[in-house]
Amino acid sequence: MLLVVEQFLNGLQFGLLLFLLAAGLTLVFGIMDLVNLAHGSLYMMGAYFAATFAAWTGSFLLGALLALGATLVLGIVLEMSALRHLYGRDHLDHVLATFGLILFFNEAVRLIWGPAGLALPLPAWLTVPVPILPGIHYPAYRLAIIVVALLVALLLYLGVMRTRIGMLIRAGASNREMIGALGINIKLLYTLVFGLGAALAGLAGLMQAPILTVQIGMGENILILAFVIIVIGGIGSIRGAFLAAIFVGMIDTLGRAFLPNLLRQILSGAAASTAAPALSSMLIYLLMAIVLVVRPEGLFPANRR
Amino acid sequence: MKSLTVSKAVTALMLAGLLLLPLYSQLSGNIFILTLFTRIIILALAAASLNLIMGFGGMMSFGHAAYLGIGGYAVGMLAQEGIGSGFIQFPVALAASAIYALVIGALSLRTRGVYFIMITLAFAQMAYYVASGLARYGGDDGLTVYKRSDFSGLINLSNRTQFYYLCLACLLGVVFLIWRIVNSRFGLVVQGLRSNEQRMQAIGFPAKRYKLVCFVISGTMCGLAGALLANNTDFVSPAVMYWTRSGDLMVMVILGGMGTLFGPIIGAVVFLLLEEFLSQITEYWALIMGPLLLLIVLFGRGGIMGLLGRAGRG
């Protein structure tokens, strides 16, 4: 029972983290029609910035805030210097150009921070276990991730659905010429959206940093997961990304936790311990394959263009 | 007319260079260059196979490295089990790649555009995780191939020069095959599907079937590259299938010129030589390579082949 609740919460936490990453990715794709493979690099930069700033200032929170600002600025600079020239080009061009950016960022990080990973230690008040149910404790930090990510998801929803900027963003997603004709500065809007996406990736990265080591290439594995999520959810759909992210986070975490035992009951011990890690890593890809076979456009396709 | 001659001259020059390379290596005593170019030729073969579906068929497969791994693992696993004959290893490698391509293609071709890019990527990752889980065959650490494929005296893969020429022959054979395919009725239909699938379907061509066959041919060719690669490095590991490797192959194709016969080969030569050259100057070669890619995408439309064409015209 304890284990089930704990793994369930772990899955939720991982899913919400993936949502932050996938939201930025799908926002940028849905509105600017830009496939950004370098999104994982922004996630990595968020983690590196946080580790560095936290070490400088001696405060976890201050470091996290500075890192958030830094990824926002980095995203804006990236958009203005390079990616802005890619709008309207082939998706393949996007894939290639941003693949080049991945090489660049990985190498730049190796040059600046060195090949060894960094650690981002948690402050004492975030390491205590919190009682969530009678007799069941859960790490405060993981709980904090859940709360922060849920808050951001809510803000994002309200921002996109209820504010004027959000209205423009949605209008831009369905017809970019039209909102340009209405006298809206599309260039600025796009830069802001990209910056927002970058900041979301950075937030995911810096929140994950204390749990994993901060290392080169950390964005690449998780980027694939984010892509799986937006493909399952339907590209360009924030709601789809949210539901798919929770789903994927749950399946991945629960699969890793319980699949070995489950298999051991069917297969022999040796076969089970061989198959379990591969099978649990594959689960979400299987899920994606099934979803795409049934619904080639994902579960919640955004407005069709 | 003139534009044709420039790219043709460069292609002819490159092919002549590749043919004569072992001679140069022998005369100068530079063995390293032969090893380097064997690898380049094998990856050029993989890039050419990707170009068949990407350049001519408009199918942006982002998981092509999976076939490199499948071809490689077929050789490695059979060698591990004591089956060293190349006459068994190579057909098995090709068949395994073809079957994988058939299954993946049938599923992936239900989607299009970015979805297709992403689903092929995800399936390749799946293959990567399967290989990582193969504890009997090295798992994460990979599998050493202690003995190269044995072609019972016909050709000796441990002899550098012979192996080099085998790889070159495979590459030229594959390019010839692609040329035949592209200019056949089948190839014209596939190219027609790239420009307007709806219209082709309206004329009465079963679009998906044509694309799937093309997809399988491409995957099988890349499986051949994988089998050669395992022999070249005497080693195969899940890393061969990692998604950035698929990205490398894509870059080679675009760099050289997508949808041209020899473009991917030129792309592979330039990309891998650049990597070699930059890594000799600085440890941080990717710092230059990355932005270079970005610039090529931004300004170098049509890749090197396109550039050569423009040079000829200008």
Side-chain angles (χ1 to χ4, degrees):
Chain A
M1 178 57 198
L2 178 83
L3 189 67
V4 173
V5 172
E6 195 180 313
Q7 291 301 340
F8 192 77
L9 282 171
N10 281 347
L12 183 69
Q13 176 253 307
F14 186 48
L16 283 169
L17 200 81
L18 287 173
F19 166 70
L20 293 182
L21 205 62
L25 204 59
T26 205
L27 207 60
V28 166
F29 184 84
I31 292 156
M32 284 125 69
D33 200 25
L34 178 81
V35 184
N36 180 22
L37 290 188
H39 199 67
S41 298
L42 293 165
Y43 165 89
M44 174 179 74
M45 295 310 288
Y48 269 95
F49 282 145
T52 311
F53 290 138
W56 279 357
T57 58
S59 152
F60 177 80
L61 277 185
L62 208 56
L65 275 177
L66 283 174
L68 202 57
T71 23
L72 177 76
V73 171
L74 180 67
I76 287 173
V77 169
L78 198 61
E79 197 271 348
M80 297 215 299
S81 61
L83 297 175
R84 136 175 318 185
H85 307 287
L86 290 169
Y87 300 149
R89 299 277 287 265
D90 212 277
H91 284 152
L92 192 63
D93 283 357
H94 302 165
V95 168
L96 275 180
T98 51
F99 185 73
L101 286 177
I102 293 180
L103 291 181
F104 175 78
F105 274 113
N106 281 345
E107 213 63 24
V109 164
R110 203 152 69 91
L111 188 68
I112 298 170
W113 282 281
L118 298 180
L120 176 54
L122 279 173
W125 57 274
L126 275 174
T127 52
V128 288
V130 178
I132 38 169
L133 285 172
I136 299 180
H137 294 260
Y138 195 68
Y141 183 64
R142 285 182 185 260
L143 218 53
I145 293 183
I146 294 180
V147 172
V148 169
L150 276 176
L151 263 174
V152 171
L154 185 69
L155 280 178
L156 203 61
Y157 175 78
L158 291 177
V160 171
M161 300 311 281
R162 296 277 185 271
T163 64
R164 191 177 145 72
I165 290 250
M167 186 187 75
L168 293 176
I169 286 177
R170 277 179 293 139
S174 45
N175 192 332
R176 65 181 75 196
E177 281 83 18
M178 186 55 83
I179 71 156
L182 289 174
I184 308 300
N185 187 344
I186 298 198
K187 263 190 165 171
L188 184 66
L189 186 66
Y190 277 20
T191 308
L192 286 178
V193 170
F194 192 87
L196 175 64
L200 285 174
L203 178 63
L206 71 90
M207 290 205 305
Q208 186 75 313
I211 298 178
L212 301 170
T213 359
V214 181
Q215 58 188 357
I216 297 164
M218 65 186 281
E220 278 142 42
N221 291 315
I222 204 157
L223 173 75
I224 303 292
L225 283 185
F227 269 119
V228 167
I229 285 163
I230 65 171
V231 165
I232 291 178
I235 294 177
S237 155
I238 299 250
R239 190 169 62 115
F242 184 76
L243 294 172
I246 304 281
F247 204 40
V248 165
M250 288 283 179
I251 291 211
D252 194 61
T253 309
L254 296 180
R256 277 172 214 284
F258 299 117
L259 204 63
N261 274 327
L262 223 70
L263 280 179
R264 215 159 286 145
Q265 301 193 335
I266 313 167
L267 300 168
S268 70
S273 53
T274 312
L279 199 62
S280 48
S281 308
M282 279 169 58
L283 266 184
I284 52 156
Y285 298 106
L286 283 175
L287 174 75
M288 184 186 75
I290 293 166
V291 167
L292 284 186
V293 167
V294 183
R295 297 186 62 133
E297 301 233 300
L299 292 177
F300 305 95
N303 45 337
R304 290 187 187 85
R305 258 173 286 170
Chain B
M1 201 54 215
K2 206 178 160 201
S3 70
L4 275 175
T5 50
V6 174
S7 46
K8 262 189 183 159
V10 170
T11 307
L13 217 65
M14 183 187 67
L15 289 180
L18 288 179
L19 275 170
L20 293 176
L21 192 88
L23 197 68
Y24 167 79
S25 154
Q26 208 136 48
L27 289 177
S28 65
N30 186 347
I31 297 166
F32 171 71
I33 196 168
L34 196 59
T35 318
L36 174 66
F37 267 86
T38 308
R39 186 166 157 263
I40 290 180
I41 285 175
I42 293 171
L43 290 174
L45 170 52
S49 76
L50 174 60
N51 181 48
L52 173 64
I53 52 170
M54 197 163 88
F56 295 109
M59 292 172 262
M60 312 298 178
S61 163
F62 203 161
H64 233 59
Y67 306 103
L68 281 181
I70 290 169
Y73 267 100
V75 168
M77 286 159 84
L78 284 172
Q80 180 93 336
E81 301 300 335
I83 302 170
S85 168
F87 294 115
I88 298 175
Q89 288 178 349
F90 274 68
V92 168
L94 295 185
S97 312
I99 291 168
Y100 177 79
L102 186 67
V103 175
I104 300 314
L107 290 173
S108 307
L109 284 171
R110 296 178 53 87
T111 64
R112 57 190 68 241
V114 195
Y115 284 94
F116 185 80
I117 297 181
M118 290 311 145
I119 194 172
T120 46
L121 175 62
F123 279 125
Q125 282 300 101
M126 242 159 95
Y128 168 84
Y129 287 120
V130 171
S132 306
L134 291 173
R136 184 180 165 80
Y137 302 104
D140 268 333
D141 301 327
L143 176 63
T144 304
V145 183
Y146 288 105
K147 206 167 170 302
R148 292 192 173 182
S149 303
D150 174 27
F151 281 96
S152 45
L154 206 65
I155 184 165
N156 179 6
L157 266 56
S158 301
N159 178 312
R160 276 178 221 276
T161 312
Q162 285 189 28
F163 184 54
Y164 176 87
Y165 277 119
L166 173 72
C167 294
L168 188 59
C170 286
L171 173 65
L172 294 179
V174 158
V175 169
F176 175 72
L177 203 63
I178 290 176
W179 177 66
R180 288 299 299 264
I181 291 172
V182 166
N183 289 302
S184 69
R185 180 175 171 281
F186 168 78
L188 291 174
V189 172
V190 171
Q191 288 171 74
L193 286 171
R194 182 193 54 191
S195 13
N196 195 332
E197 187 162 336
Q198 266 179 335
R199 192 172 295 175
M200 292 302 285
Q201 228 156 3
I203 307 174
F205 289 107
K208 200 179 283 168
R209 212 178 307 159
Y210 272 89
K211 282 167 110 173
L212 184 57
V213 171
C214 195
F215 192 87
V216 171
I217 294 173
S218 165
T220 313
M221 285 173 172
C222 197
L224 172 64
L228 290 171
L229 195 64
N231 272 298
N232 185 43
T233 40
D234 302 313
F235 178 70
V236 53
S237 81
V240 176
M241 292 192 251
Y242 199 59
W243 70 278
T244 49
R245 172 59 75 189
S246 299
D248 288 346
L249 291 180
M250 243 181 180
V251 169
M252 290 174 201
V253 175
I254 312 287
L255 182 63
M258 195 165 72
T260 61
L261 207 52
F262 289 98
I265 304 173
I266 293 183
V269 171
V270 171
F271 181 83
L272 293 167
L273 282 184
L274 207 62
E275 187 181 293
E276 188 63 39
F277 173 70
L278 288 178
S279 66
Q280 271 171 18
I281 310 179
T282 163
E283 190 191 340
Y284 304 104
W285 59 273
L287 211 55
I288 308 168
M289 192 71 141
L292 209 60
L293 278 182
L294 190 70
L295 288 178
I296 289 166
V297 171
L298 286 179
F299 301 111
R301 311 216 75 175
I304 295 171
M305 277 302 207
L307 223 63
L308 292 175
R310 279 199 289 280
R313 244 170 284 133

